[in-house]
């Protein structure tokens, strides 16, 4: 787990987020979304760097200077957990179904994989991106 310093700056549409250690920016409509987007930007930047064989800078140990109205704070990120969370690599999974249900679904042209994915996302209360 690492904690990178960020700067939150109020804007007309929410908050701008600066991540000085990585020289990247993002934004959010409110503080909660700004922090979520900061964590996502740091995670995406870092795993892309890792995948290209580039070093990921260690986070600064002091908060950056801020202007009036800005707030500096730390955002924590676990790169391994972030990578696992966004991994959408397909894996074969064997499931058992009643024969009559399987046949009816096949006759209707229903994709077992699509239905299972949608049901799992709903059950886990995950955002469904189509």
């Amino acid at each position: 787990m690492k904690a990178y310093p960020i700067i939150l700056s109020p804007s007309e549409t929410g908050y701008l987020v600066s991540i000085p250690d990585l020289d990247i920016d993002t934004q959010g409509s409110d503080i909660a979304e700004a922090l979520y987007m900061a964590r996502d930007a740091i995670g995406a930047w870092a795993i892309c760097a890792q995948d290209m064989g580039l070093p990921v800078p260690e986070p600064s140990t002091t908060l950056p200077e801020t202007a009036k109205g800005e707030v500096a704070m730390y955002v924590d990120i676990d790169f391994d957990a972030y990578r696992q969370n966004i991994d959408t690599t397909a894996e074969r999974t064997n499931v058992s179904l009643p024969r009559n249900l399987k046949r009816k679904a096949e006759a209707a042209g229903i994709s077992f994989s699509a239905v299972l994915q949608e049901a799992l996302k709903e059950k886990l209360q995950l955002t469904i991106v189509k």
Side-chain angles (χ1 to χ4, degrees), residues 3-118:
Y4 283 84
I6 64 167
I7 300 171
L8 293 172
S9 305
S11 74
E12 291 180 17
T13 58
Y15 290 87
L16 301 175
V17 183
S18 174
I19 306 158
D21 288 343
L22 305 178
D23 195 27
I24 59 175
D25 301 305
T26 188
Q27 62 185 8
S29 59
D30 54 32
I31 291 177
E33 184 180 44
L35 294 175
Y36 174 86
M37 295 300 291
R39 189 172 286 112
D40 188 52
I42 294 166
W45 189 97
I47 66 169
C48 285
Q50 289 171 344
D51 290 350
M52 292 187 298
L54 301 172
V56 176
E58 289 297 315
S60 297
T61 57
T62 58
L63 290 172
E65 299 275 331
T66 59
K68 185 176 179 179
E70 295 180 331
V71 176
M73 61 178 51
Y74 290 98
V75 171
D76 64 329
I77 181 81
D78 178 334
F79 295 133
D80 293 332
Y82 181 86
R83 183 181 291 278
Q84 288 176 0
N85 193 42
I86 65 164
D87 185 0
T88 58
T89 304
E91 281 185 349
R92 290 191 64 78
T93 301
N94 188 17
V95 297
S96 298
L97 298 170
R99 184 174 288 146
N100 66 337
L101 184 60
K102 179 179 181 280
R103 288 182 178 155
K104 287 177 183 177
E106 287 173 340
I110 295 174
S111 165
F112 297 120
S113 293
V115 170
L116 180 58
Q117 287 179 49
E118 289 173 13

